[in-house]
Structure formats: structure tokens, C-alpha cells
Amino acid sequence: MKKGIHPEYKEVVFWDTSSDHKFISRSTQSPKETIKMEDGKEYPVIKVEVSSASHPFFTGKKLFVDTAGRVEKFKNKYQKKA
């Protein structure tokens, strides 16, 4: 591999904000915010809305999240006229 052209690959914490689940992985992103984990180390944190801890496919729970009324907009746009 060529030297100096690849981004730094380091450990970060991914924080699922909907289920408050945190896990350590590696990423090339370098966020400014940090968090202290159970092992006593401080890691950069990347906040995500959905992970395997909160996604209905993996949890088996039916969770309906309607953001900004998208379903209503679709129904209003394509409903049959009387």
C-alpha cells in the first residue's frame, strides 16, 4: 500500500440513540465528541439512529416511525379522487 494516502483507521464508539446501545468498532471517521466507556478509555463517538439493537428486523419488534408525515403525504398525493 502507498504511504500517506489512506485515512487513519481507529477505534470509535457507535451509539444507537434510539435504544441507548453502545458498541466499539473501528472507523475512518473522526468525530469531535468523545465518551468514556466501561473499560476506562475515552473514545470518539458516532451517533446513529438505527443499529441491530433497535432495527425491527433484528429485534422482532414492530416499531413504526413516521418521520415528517411521509405516509400522509404519499396517501394525499396518490389517493383516488371521488
Side-chain angles (χ1 to χ4, degrees):
M1 289 194 323
K2 286 186 176 180
K3 302 265 188 224
I5 63 168
H6 300 286
E8 184 181 350
Y9 190 59
K10 58 187 174 191
E11 288 187 331
V12 297
V13 172
F14 285 92
W15 181 2
D16 183 350
T17 55
S18 60
S19 67
D20 200 38
H21 178 72
K22 300 175 188 107
F23 58 94
I24 299 172
S25 186
R26 294 177 59 92
S27 176
T28 57
Q29 289 186 340
S30 54
K32 306 256 187 273
E33 195 174 342
T34 60
I35 192 170
K36 194 170 209 170
M37 290 298 282
E38 295 87 23
D39 62 0
K41 293 182 183 177
E42 196 153 318
Y43 297 97
V45 63
I46 298 173
K47 293 182 181 177
V48 294
E49 292 180 11
V50 178
S51 72
S52 62
S54 63
H55 194 280
F57 181 81
F58 297 106
T59 61
K61 297 177 184 175
K62 301 259 185 196
L63 178 66
F64 180 72
V65 179
D66 183 22
T67 56
R70 292 181 186 174
V71 173
E72 286 78 18
K73 285 181 186 178
F74 178 84
K75 286 181 180 178
N76 289 338
K77 186 175 182 178
Y78 293 106
Q79 82 183 41
K80 291 185 178 182
K81 306 287 185 215

